[in-house]
């Protein structure tokens, strides 16, 4: 898998973003891909639309254009059966901005990019504080006169287009941090297969094992390795609501980690690799140690989506990845809408 921000940090690249989606379209606003001279990362939906996006992006790398905005009727102009309309925003991606976004994977960011007039762009954190780019805002988040005024930069919305008072179009693009986190205990064959299966899903993974030599030299961008002699100690430092999957080389270590998970509050999904026989053994041991019966009953063991059989590591990984994805998609992530950043010249 080629990672978009790492690609742009290392090579000249054009960032392509779905700015507006009308009707039936492959992907929604905010979807992005990175186009370099010899490769690309991400997708805006595939098919003829993506082919044209790659062609335009590579042409911009040759002719030096900084910005391009184009409307694509999928049926009439591209022959795609979706039939909707996609507006794509193309921009030369700064290596410095790409490196900063790469470093901010665990935090929400916002990008504000002008598609008329000067090639103004700025990067903000999730609270609306400017991190990089053109000096477009003052300390109160109000737009400076040089940027032309306009409607609010609304962090309560997803990615969208806005217009300033002087008629300039701006892409307001959210770069959201993954909301789902998995602590994966065990770097054996199944653990390695699961890391590969989760590589492009909207999650982050902390991959934990005592045996540092088992970890590969390179891991997906959403994975952090923790080689430690006390894996169970990491449970206390996990984010609230995280998911846990225990599949180490030792039943004794599995039990120590399981006890640490059951001993803390704000635990999301908890899975333990093993058979029904292993589950019965662990239930007895955990009950004898005084752990709550209801929490033990909620433990997933065996793991994996029902109906997917097989003991091959890749099969188990697919079954567990599907189980986690169903869990994460069904979970309600209710957050208070952040305030609008007011811009000078706004009518409301």
């Amino acid at each position: 898998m080629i990672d978009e921000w790492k690609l742009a940090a290392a090579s000249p690249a054009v960032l392509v973003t779905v700015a507006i989606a009308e009707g039936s379209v492959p992907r929604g606003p905010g979807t992005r891909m990175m186009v370099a001279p010899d490769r690309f990362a991400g997708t805006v939906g595939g098919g003829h639309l993506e082919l044209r996006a790659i062609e335009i992006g590579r042409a911009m790398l040759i002719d030096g254009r900084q910005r391009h905005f184009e409307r694509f009727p999928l049926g009439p102009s591209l022959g795609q059966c979706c039939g909707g309309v996609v507006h794509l925003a193309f921009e030369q991606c700064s290596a410095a901005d790409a490196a900063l976004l790469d470093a901010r994977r665990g935090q929400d960011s916002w990008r504000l990019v002008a598609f008329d007039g000067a090639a103004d762009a700025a990067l903000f954190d999730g609270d609306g504080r400017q991190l990089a780019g053109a000096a477009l805002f003052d300390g109160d988040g109000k737009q400076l006169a040089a940027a032309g005024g306009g409607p609010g930069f609304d962090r309560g919305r997803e990615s969208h287009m806005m217009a300033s008072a002087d008629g300039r179009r701006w892409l307001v693009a959210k770069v959201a941090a993954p909301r789902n986190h998995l602590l994966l205990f065990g770097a054996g064959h199944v653990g390695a297969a699961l890391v590969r299966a989760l590589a492009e899903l909207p999650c982050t993974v902390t991959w934990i094992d005592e045996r540092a030599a088992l970890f590969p030299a390179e891991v997906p961008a959403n994975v952090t390795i923790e080689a430690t002699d006390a894996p169970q100690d990491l449970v206390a430092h996990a984010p609230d609501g995280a998911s846990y999957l225990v599949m180490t080389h030792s039943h004794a270590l599995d039990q120590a980690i399981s006890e640490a998970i059951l001993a803390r509050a704000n635990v999301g999904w908890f899975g333990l690799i093993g058979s029904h026989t292993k589950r019965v053994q662990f239930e007895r041991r955990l009950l004898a140690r005084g752990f709550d019966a209801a929490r033990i009953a909620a433990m997933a063991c065996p793991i994996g989506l029902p109906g997917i059989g097989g003991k091959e590591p890749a099969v188990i990984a697919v079954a567990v990845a599907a189980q986690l994805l169903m869990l994460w998609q069904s979970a309600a992530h209710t957050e208070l809408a952040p305030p609008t950043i007011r811009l000078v010249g706004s009518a409301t």
Side-chain angles (χ1 to χ4, degrees):
M1 178 181 113
I2 303 173
D3 179 76
E4 57 187 5
W5 302 123
K6 291 187 183 299
L7 174 60
S11 169
V14 167
L15 179 58
V16 186
T17 305
V18 176
I20 302 171
E22 302 169 351
S24 176
V25 297
R27 302 294 299 274
T31 304
R32 58 184 181 268
M33 69 182 299
M34 197 73 71
V35 178
D38 59 347
R39 51 192 174 153
F40 64 93
T43 174
V44 291
H48 198 182
L49 174 68
E50 188 156 295
L51 177 62
R52 285 291 298 130
I54 293 170
E55 291 172 346
I56 292 169
R58 288 180 175 159
M60 289 175 63
L61 291 172
I62 293 171
D63 64 31
R65 277 178 295 161
Q66 293 297 303
R67 303 281 189 270
H68 178 69
F69 194 91
E70 188 166 340
R71 176 181 182 271
F72 295 89
L74 298 182
S77 67
L78 299 178
Q80 294 190 204
C81 60
C82 299
V85 176
V86 175
H87 301 245
L88 294 182
F90 299 77
E91 55 182 295
Q92 294 271 359
C93 187
S94 157
D97 284 354
L100 182 53
L101 285 162
D102 184 35
R104 289 182 53 80
R105 290 178 184 276
Q107 305 167 75
D108 287 345
S109 303
W110 286 91
R111 301 174 53 257
L112 191 62
V113 185
F115 278 85
D116 300 294
D120 290 327
L123 181 66
F124 303 84
D125 68 13
D127 294 322
R129 291 183 292 264
Q130 188 163 347
L131 303 172
L136 303 175
F137 294 81
D138 64 18
D140 296 323
K142 294 181 179 179
Q143 193 173 37
L144 299 174
F153 162 25
D154 187 354
R155 290 181 292 116
R157 296 179 61 186
E158 295 301 314
S159 300
H160 59 281
M161 295 296 294
M162 72 176 191
S164 55
D166 58 2
R168 300 174 74 191
R169 294 168 299 174
W170 297 78
L171 172 67
V172 181
K174 184 177 184 179
V175 183
R179 296 299 193 257
N180 308 305
H181 184 70
L182 173 69
L183 276 76
L184 172 60
F185 295 88
H189 295 301
V190 177
L194 183 59
V195 163
R196 292 191 293 270
L198 296 174
E200 298 190 50
L201 295 183
C203 65
T204 54
V205 180
T206 301
W207 195 11
I208 307 157
D209 203 292
E210 301 169 298
R211 304 160 295 173
L214 286 187
F215 292 113
E218 295 185 6
V219 294
N222 65 340
V223 175
T224 300
I225 288 175
E226 289 281 358
T228 173
D229 292 333
Q232 65 272 21
D233 291 349
L234 295 182
V235 172
H237 303 288
D240 288 346
S243 300
Y244 301 81
L245 182 53
V246 181
M247 48 173 63
T248 78
H249 61 290
S250 162
H251 278 205
L253 183 56
D254 282 355
Q255 182 169 337
I257 297 169
S258 297
E259 290 180 5
I261 294 167
L262 292 174
R264 72 157 287 175
N266 298 314
V267 168
W269 180 84
F270 164 34
L272 172 68
I273 197 169
S275 63
H276 289 286
T277 300
K278 180 176 179 179
R279 180 188 183 95
V280 170
Q281 293 174 345
F282 268 63
E283 284 179 339
R284 289 172 179 166
R285 295 173 187 172
L286 293 168
L287 285 169
R289 297 278 288 175
F291 289 99
D292 180 68
R295 292 197 65 188
I296 296 171
M299 174 182 69
C301 181
I303 55 173
L305 199 66
I308 301 178
K311 296 185 178 181
E312 300 87 348
V315 174
I316 297 172
V318 168
V320 174
Q323 184 178 25
L324 286 168
L325 194 58
M326 288 183 66
L327 169 80
W328 291 334
Q329 289 186 349
S330 64
H333 297 289
T334 55
E335 301 177 1
L336 291 175
T340 295
I341 296 179
R342 301 297 302 146
L343 306 184
V344 171
S346 174
T348 58

